[in-house]
């Protein structure tokens, strides 16, 4: 299962998720082709329609919000993928516990978030007042497909993220900061990437 409001998810590496994996997006097509059962959730029916076009009619796609209890039985999924979605939630309190509840024993949560320091640093460099150690709201204007929207993000320090997962009973096995792509060197040759 990929429990995510954002269904454009990717899993690092070549390890395919287990046979019952919820999500919707890029790598899910490949795991569906290998026989995985993919379930995707999103608060946006429009995002689910995009996922439906990629995944086909066999994918179980449902309108749901990670801030609410998930309508799945305990242990329903071998893996849960939450890629670049948790920063939309103001309160992480119940969400990690719900993700843990729907995981089968031995199941994996694969989560990705924006780098917790990058946004704080960017705000400082732009002359904005910020405090990395506080959970704080950040609003940005995004334009895609000719439409503009205000998006609200909730930035957290790394310790708040890890504490939320361990309080829900997760054991964190990896925190990874993948290096930039080699092509990024062309964009910022003075930086070491």
């Amino acid at each position: 299962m990929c429990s995510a409001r954002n269904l454009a998810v990717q899993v690092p590496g070549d390890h395919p998720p287990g046979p019952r994996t919820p999500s919707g997006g890029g790598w899910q097509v490949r795991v569906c082709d290998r026989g995985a059962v993919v379930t995707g959730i999103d608060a946006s029916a429009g995002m689910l329609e995009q996922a439906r076009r990629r995944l086909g009619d066999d994918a179980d796609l449902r309108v749901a919000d990670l801030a609410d209890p998930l309508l799945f039985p305990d242990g329903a999924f071998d893996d849960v993928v939450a890629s670049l979605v948790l920063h939309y939630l103001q309160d992480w309190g119940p969400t990690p516990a719900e993700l843990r509840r729907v995981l089968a024993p031995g199941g994996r949560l694969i989560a990705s978030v924006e780098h917790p320091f990058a946004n704080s640093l960017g705000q400082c460099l732009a002359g904005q007042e910020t405090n990395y150690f506080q959970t704080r709201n950040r609003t940005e204007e995004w334009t895609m497909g000719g439409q503009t929207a205000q998006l609200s993000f909730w930035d957290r320090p790394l310790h708040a993220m890890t504490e939320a997962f361990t309080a829900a009973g997760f054991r964190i096995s990896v925190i990874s900061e993948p290096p930039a792509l080699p092509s990024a060197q062309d964009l910022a040759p003075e930086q070491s990437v």
Side-chain angles (χ1 to χ4, degrees):
M1 164 186 142
C2 170
S3 295
R5 283 202 259 178
N6 173 355
L7 295 179
V9 299
Q10 289 186 317
V11 175
D14 292 329
H15 185 76
R20 301 173 301 149
T21 300
S23 197
W27 61 268
Q28 293 83 350
V29 173
R30 292 191 307 274
V31 298
C32 284
D33 290 345
R34 293 181 181 175
V37 176
V38 175
T39 300
I41 67 169
D42 198 289
S44 163
M47 289 298 293
L48 291 172
E49 185 53 40
Q50 288 183 28
R52 172 76 58 219
R53 285 194 293 271
R54 280 186 242 144
L55 297 171
D57 293 331
D58 291 336
D60 179 9
L61 303 176
R62 305 177 190 195
V63 174
D65 192 321
L66 279 179
D68 299 329
L70 299 173
L71 300 177
F72 300 104
D74 294 358
F77 301 103
D78 299 312
D79 298 301
V80 172
V81 179
S83 179
L84 297 176
V85 63
L86 295 171
H87 57 262
Y88 292 109
L89 300 175
Q90 179 177 359
D91 178 15
W92 278 24
T95 302
E98 270 298 282
L99 297 176
R100 180 138 164 66
R101 181 187 66 76
V102 301
L103 274 170
R108 298 175 299 174
L109 170 64
I110 303 164
S112 64
V113 296
E114 294 180 312
H115 195 290
F117 189 69
N119 293 315
S120 180
L121 177 61
Q123 290 168 333
C124 284
L125 293 174
Q128 300 170 3
E129 190 173 321
T130 187
N131 182 342
Y132 169 80
F133 292 102
Q134 291 181 342
T135 297
R136 59 210 177 278
N137 185 240
R138 169 176 51 93
T139 304
E140 293 183 7
E141 186 174 282
W142 285 50
T143 301
M144 294 183 75
Q147 295 191 6
T148 300
Q150 293 288 324
L151 297 179
S152 180
F153 303 92
W154 291 90
D155 299 329
R156 289 169 174 72
L158 181 60
H159 75 88
M161 294 182 202
T162 59
E163 288 170 7
F165 288 117
T166 57
F170 284 103
R171 179 181 54 83
I172 299 172
S173 61
V174 175
I175 295 178
S176 176
E177 294 181 300
L181 295 172
S183 58
Q185 186 67 43
D186 297 337
L187 299 174
E190 70 283 354
Q191 302 293 320
S192 174
V193 292

